Structures are given as C-alpha cells and as structure tokens.
C-alpha cells in the first residue's frame, strides 16, 4: 500500500510494480458495489512513424476480434452475461482497454482484459472485415466538420509532427495492413513496462495481486522498444478545407501547457472564464448577446511534450468574419483587462465542483489514476487536487492568461468559401 502524506492527512493508494515491470494501482472505495479496471498501454498515434499511420487504433479494434482463449462472440457474451461494460479507446499517447462490473465479477473482467492485451490472434480474415469498419470510421470523421476542423487545427499548429497526425490514420495505410504489421507493432509496444493496470471501486487488494500475478505476471518484458517523441515549436499558420456544408467551422489554437505542468490548474480556471462554461465570456458574448453562433467553446488539451488552448465556433458563412473577430476581441479584452474577482471566484468553485462530482464515478477515478501513472509515473490524491485548486491565485491566473492570449495563434476553417473568409479575417 502506497501512503501519501498531505498536510497531516493520509491518503491511500494500493500500488505495486510486478517483477516484469507492470505497474498496478488501485483506489479502494468500500461504499460502492462496482469496480472499474483498465489496462493502459503507452501506445498511440504519437509514437507511430508515417508507414504505421493508424496502427495503434487498428490494433485496438483487432484485439476484440479474437484471442487465443476466446472468439469475438465469446468476448462479448461473457461480459454481457454478467451485465458488465467492456470497451477501449486509442488516443495520441495511450491505448486503454477497460471494463466496469459488479465487484464479484472482477476476476472475469481482469481475465478478459489480460486476454485482449496479451493474447490477440490477429486473424487475417477478421482483419479484412475490420478494415471496412475502420475505413467507415475514417469516412465518418471526414464527414463530420467539427472533427475535421480540429484535426486541421492540429496540423496548422504543429505542422507535420507526430502529435498532429490523426489517431485513425488514413485510408491508404489502413487498407494495406497485413497481419505481420500488427504483430510487429504489438510485439514492440504491448509490453508490461509500457503498461499500467488501474482499478477503482470495491475490491480486495490481496486478491487483485494474486490475479494480476496469475494473469499478467508471465507477460514477457523482452522486445520493448519505444521511439522518443519531441514536439518542436513551429510558426502558427492558417489552414482551410473546402466543404459543401451550410456552416463555417472555425478553430483557433493558442499555446497551452504540457501534461503535468503545475500551472494547468490556473489554465483550467482561466478556460472556464474564457469559453469553458455557459457563463463564459465567449458563450455570453457570441451566443447569448449576439446570437451569432449556436456552438462556441474553448478547451485546453495537453500532451507530454506539447499543449494547446483550442477555441471553436460554428456559424453561417455571412457571420464567419464577425464571429472570428469576436473570438479575438474577447481574447484581447481578457488579456488587456484580466478577469474580474467575481469571475475568478465563480470559476474556481466550478472547477472544484466539476472535480468532486467526477470523483463519484469509479470509471473517472480509474482513468485519472491510470493515465497519470502511465504518462507521468506519478499519482495525485483527492485532497492534493482540492488543496491545489484552493491555492490558485488571482494574479497568477491573469498573468498566465495574458501570456497565452497575446501569443501568435493558429487557425483552421472548414466550410464553403473558406479561403475567402480566411483572407478577410487576416485583413
């Protein structure tokens, strides 16, 4: 058991590293009857080279198509039989296979997750069928302008660097994958020292350790090889994509903070004031006062070696230049004048409440602990986070806001006649 001393309060995590390098972390919640468990891999699109575009995501799909012990149907039926939830996702920097079950069914959930990660068969016939599914997913993302403009913003802000490449990859590469491509990537990246097993909910730690040793203790550590990834600053630019749709979708990207940066608390608070809540400057000015857009918001995204504050709005072509101007006007006004004390106090309470409400979900706790241990090799307790939120300073937040909003920004536009709109905005 890992003990963390915080201002005289003892917060407990169950934590251990197995002999093969697999890190295991648990947060026990005796008042619930469920448990969420996830197997996290440090494998994502940021660690792919161009010939491997989309392989992390495709591999995640293929793990569910059969293992050495189970067919795809058996995987689904075994979890459905106990009312469990089973899923996975791939991001820029990690892949997570996760389940949520009634506590008595934790052994089954851990068995299935271990099976998916350590013993996929990558059947060639199933691969050809699943290619069609992933190709449809790629097409769907291209048809969704809100998704498309965010992908375009990444490229505008980071250029041709790994962090900017789509998680789904591209149709050409996905169509060309052979079984040996997946086996090679899996053999290199799906290794215990590149993984974390995370749990949150009602469990017996001794039993968890016994199951982890039985199911994952023999997971081979040999062959692990992970490319380093450093994102360099590039000159922000403007990119457009012509699309015959009714609205123009606008995205702006300002510099952000890397994951784990202590000032991320100030950034989250500032984002709430800027565009992260219904009471925010952007929502109130652009939607409520002007009625110029139905959707408008901002959000920070952070990676281990880069960060960006994104601003998004969708509006009709005739209002696109006006809305873009309003986005920048509110940014400049905040940078010049700062937020008010009332805005600061409200946003800090919003931030605290959002965190506390999220703690009521075992899935949210598992994901927070698993991702942080995987990417930063550290943990943080509930008390630690709340104390840090309470310590956010008014002047420090305004200083960070000024630093970010006065920096050069990138921009992406998707819609009809966007090149003309981009030129008008630049002028």
């Amino acid at each position: 058991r890992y003990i963390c001393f915080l201002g005289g309060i003892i917060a407990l995590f169950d934590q251990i590293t197995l002999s093969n390098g697999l890190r295991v972390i648990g947060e026990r919640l005796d008042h619930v009857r469920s448990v969420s468990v996830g197997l996290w891999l440090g494998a994502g699109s940021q660690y792919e080279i161009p010939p491997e575009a989309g392989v992390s995501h495709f591999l995640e799909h293929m793990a569910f198509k059969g293992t050495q012990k189970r067919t795809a149907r058996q995987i689904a039926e075994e979890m459905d039989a106990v009312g469990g939830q089973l899923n996975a996702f791939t991001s820029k920097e990690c892949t997570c296979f996760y389940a949520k079950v009634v506590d008595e069914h934790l052994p089954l959930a851990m068995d299935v997750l271990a099976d998916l990660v350590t013993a996929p068969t990558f059947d060639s016939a199933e691969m050809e069928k699943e290619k069609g599914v992933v190709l449809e997913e790629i097409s769907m993302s291209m048809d969704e302008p809100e998704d498309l403009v965010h992908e375009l913003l990444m490229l505008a802000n980071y250029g041709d660097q790994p962090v900017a490449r789509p998680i789904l990859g591209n149709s050409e590469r996905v169509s060309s994958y052979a079984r040996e491509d997946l086996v090679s990537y899996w053999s290199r990246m799906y290794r215990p020292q590149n993984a974390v097993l995370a749990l949150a909910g009602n469990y017996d730690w001794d039993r968890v350790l016994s199951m982890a040793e039985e199911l994952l203790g023999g997971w081979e550590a040999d062959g692990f090889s992970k490319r380093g990834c450093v994102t360099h600053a590039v000159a922000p630019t403007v990119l457009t994509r012509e699309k015959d749709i009714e609205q123009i979708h606008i995205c702006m990207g300002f510099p952000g903070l890397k994951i784990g940066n202590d000032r991320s608390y100030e950034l989250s608070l500032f984002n709430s004031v800027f565009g992260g809540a219904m009471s925010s400057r952007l929502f109130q000015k652009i939607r409520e006062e002007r009625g110029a857009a139905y959707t408008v918001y901002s959000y920070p995204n952070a990676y281990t070696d880069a960060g960006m504050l994104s601003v998004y709005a969708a509006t009709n072509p005739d209002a696109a230049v006006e809305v873009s101007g309003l986005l920048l006007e509110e940014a400049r006004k905040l940078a010049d004048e700062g937020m008010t004390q009332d805005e600061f106090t409200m946003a800090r309470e919003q931030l605290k409440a959002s965190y506390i409400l999220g703690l009521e979900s075992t899935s949210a706790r598992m994901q927070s602990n698993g991702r942080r241990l995987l990417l930063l090799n550290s943990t943080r307790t509930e008390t630690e986070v709340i104390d840090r939120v309470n310590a956010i300073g008014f002047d420090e937040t305004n200083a960070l806001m000024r630093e970010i909003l006065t920096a050069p920004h990138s921009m992406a536009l998707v819609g009809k006649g966007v090149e003309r709109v981009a030129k008008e905005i630049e002028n």
Side-chain angles (χ1 to χ4, degrees):
R1 174 163 284 195
Y2 171 72
I3 303 177
C4 183
F5 293 92
L6 297 167
I9 298 174
I10 300 178
L12 300 178
F13 285 110
D14 293 313
Q15 191 170 342
I16 196 171
T17 300
L18 302 188
S19 59
N20 61 2
L22 176 67
R23 288 161 288 174
V24 185
I25 184 170
E27 186 173 7
R28 189 160 36 197
L29 307 170
D30 295 333
H31 62 282
V32 301
R33 282 296 313 277
S34 68
V35 59
S36 294
V37 54
L39 253 177
W40 294 77
L41 288 306
S45 57
Q46 182 153 299
Y47 301 110
E48 301 166 352
I49 58 175
E52 296 173 332
V55 70
S56 302
H57 173 257
F58 189 40
L59 194 157
E60 173 227 309
H61 273 241
M62 283 303 303
F64 287 88
K65 307 312 291 183
T67 70
Q68 294 175 16
K69 289 168 52 177
R70 296 174 171 89
T71 64
R73 187 179 185 89
Q74 287 173 326
I75 292 168
E77 288 181 345
E78 287 188 28
M79 291 300 293
D80 285 349
V82 299
Q85 303 168 6
L86 178 69
N87 213 328
F89 64 83
T90 304
S91 69
K92 299 283 186 182
E93 298 187 286
C94 61
T95 301
C96 179
F97 296 84
Y98 61 94
K100 184 176 183 179
V101 291
V102 175
D103 51 14
E104 65 189 86
H105 299 302
L106 177 59
L108 173 63
M110 288 183 62
D111 189 15
V112 171
L113 291 177
D115 205 18
L116 292 174
V117 169
T118 67
T121 54
F122 302 130
D123 181 79
S124 296
E126 291 291 341
M127 274 189 67
E128 292 308 309
K129 289 189 289 185
E130 199 61 22
K131 282 179 182 179
V133 174
V134 176
L135 291 174
E136 286 299 316
E137 191 175 357
I138 293 172
S139 296
M140 185 170 65
S141 71
M142 298 299 290
D143 286 342
E144 178 52 62
E146 187 170 350
D147 291 346
L148 184 57
V149 77
H150 282 93
E151 289 286 0
L152 199 61
L153 180 66
M154 292 293 287
L155 190 59
N157 200 67
Y158 295 114
D160 186 21
Q161 297 189 83
V163 71
R165 295 170 192 157
I167 295 167
L168 301 181
N170 59 72
S171 299
E172 181 182 0
R173 289 304 303 145
V174 171
S175 298
S176 71
Y177 282 131
R179 183 178 184 276
E180 51 266 29
D181 296 317
L182 295 192
V183 171
S184 175
Y185 188 79
W186 173 82
S187 298
R188 191 174 81 242
M189 299 291 283
Y190 276 50
R191 286 293 173 257
Q193 60 270 58
N194 193 36
V196 166
L197 174 67
L199 304 93
N202 193 20
Y203 61 81
D204 179 88
W205 180 240
D206 290 336
R207 194 177 183 200
V208 167
L209 283 183
S210 177
M211 290 187 293
E213 285 287 0
E214 178 186 351
L215 298 169
L216 297 163
W219 188 7
E220 293 182 2
D222 294 341
F224 174 59
S225 175
K226 188 173 181 178
R227 298 181 180 89
C229 192
V230 177
T231 301
H232 301 284
V234 298
T237 188
V238 178
L239 294 179
T240 62
R241 182 73 56 86
E242 188 73 19
K243 198 169 184 65
D244 190 11
I245 52 178
E246 294 302 313
Q247 288 188 308
I248 285 182
H249 296 256
I250 306 161
C251 249
M252 296 179 182
F254 294 87
L257 302 174
K258 300 177 184 179
I259 187 171
N261 189 308
D262 193 53
R263 294 198 299 170
S264 62
Y265 293 89
E266 280 78 9
L267 178 57
S268 294
L269 192 152
F270 138 51
N271 176 67
S272 182
V273 172
F274 185 40
M278 289 182 65
S279 60
S280 68
R281 296 280 188 99
L282 294 182
F283 191 91
Q284 288 298 313
K285 171 65 72 174
I286 295 174
R287 174 167 164 159
E288 298 298 283
E289 292 182 22
R290 299 293 186 94
Y294 176 77
T295 305
V296 55
Y297 58 81
S298 66
Y299 66 96
N301 44 11
Y303 311 102
T304 53
D305 60 346
M308 179 169 63
L309 176 71
S310 300
V311 183
Y312 168 82
T315 187
N316 71 76
D318 292 337
V321 175
E322 177 194 5
V323 168
S324 298
L326 289 172
L327 293 173
L328 292 175
E329 180 182 313
E330 288 304 310
R332 293 190 187 104
K333 187 175 180 181
L334 264 177
D336 291 342
E337 302 174 6
M339 68 180 71
T340 66
Q341 185 66 53
D342 286 344
E343 287 176 318
F344 172 80
T345 301
M346 181 190 297
R348 188 164 60 183
E349 290 306 307
Q350 288 174 343
L351 187 59
K352 195 188 310 180
S354 176
Y355 176 71
I356 292 173
L357 292 174
L359 293 178
E360 297 183 1
S361 162
T362 59
S363 298
R365 285 179 181 258
M366 180 278 291
Q367 292 208 15
S368 176
N369 295 336
R371 179 182 283 108
R372 187 172 183 86
L373 188 59
L374 178 75
L375 298 180
L376 297 175
N377 200 32
S378 68
T379 57
R380 61 181 182 183
T381 67
E382 176 181 339
T383 303
E384 182 182 19
V385 173
I386 292 174
D387 286 348
R388 180 62 183 83
V389 172
N390 285 330
I392 295 174
F394 178 70
D395 292 336
E396 290 80 5
T397 303
N398 273 324
L400 177 63
M401 187 170 60
R402 190 172 300 110
E403 177 185 328
I404 288 174
L405 294 180
T406 57
H409 67 275
S410 54
M411 185 166 65
L413 300 124
V414 170
K416 193 185 301 182
V418 286
E419 285 194 23
R420 173 190 57 79
V421 172
K423 289 178 181 177
E424 289 187 38
I425 291 172
E426 289 178 322
N427 293 333

